[in-house]
Amino acid sequence: MLGAIAGDVLGSIHEFNPVKNKKFELFNPNCVFTDDTVMTVAVADSLMNEVPYVESLQKWGRKYPKAGYGNWFRKWIHLDFPKPYNSFGNGSAMRCSSVGWLYDDED
């Protein structure tokens, strides 16, 4: 989970301007956490505290409303009775690292 968050932060400046070589500044002062980090934490919070996913995703999304969500999701986090909205689902793979982190049974 920490690796996923570090990768999100370090890669944040390259999301819309990809680098095609190995010559780039790794620790750039413009790096920030994104919606992927916020939602990764939300999934972990849901699992660790037995909070429904929707409740946790909305709580964390509202806490960090400018983290870079897509338009539909940005609206969804503020709905009183949220329903599925035809998401592309492309963020789900990036946000599930907390599941492996929490349920890793090796010491």
Side-chain angles (χ1 to χ4, degrees), residues 35-62:
D35 58 325
D36 293 324
T37 290
V38 176
M39 292 297 107
T40 295
V41 171
V43 170
D45 178 47
S46 174
L47 294 169
M48 292 170 69
N49 296 303
E50 298 181 359
V51 175
Y53 289 113
V54 169
E55 184 179 321
S56 187
L57 295 172
Q58 285 188 311
K59 176 184 89 174
W60 285 94
R62 290 172 183 172

Side-chain angles (χ1 to χ4, degrees), residues 33 38 59-69 77:
F33 66 88
V38 176
K59 176 184 89 174
W60 285 94
R62 290 172 183 172
K63 186 172 182 171
Y64 298 98
K66 296 184 180 187
Y69 311 105
I77 62 175

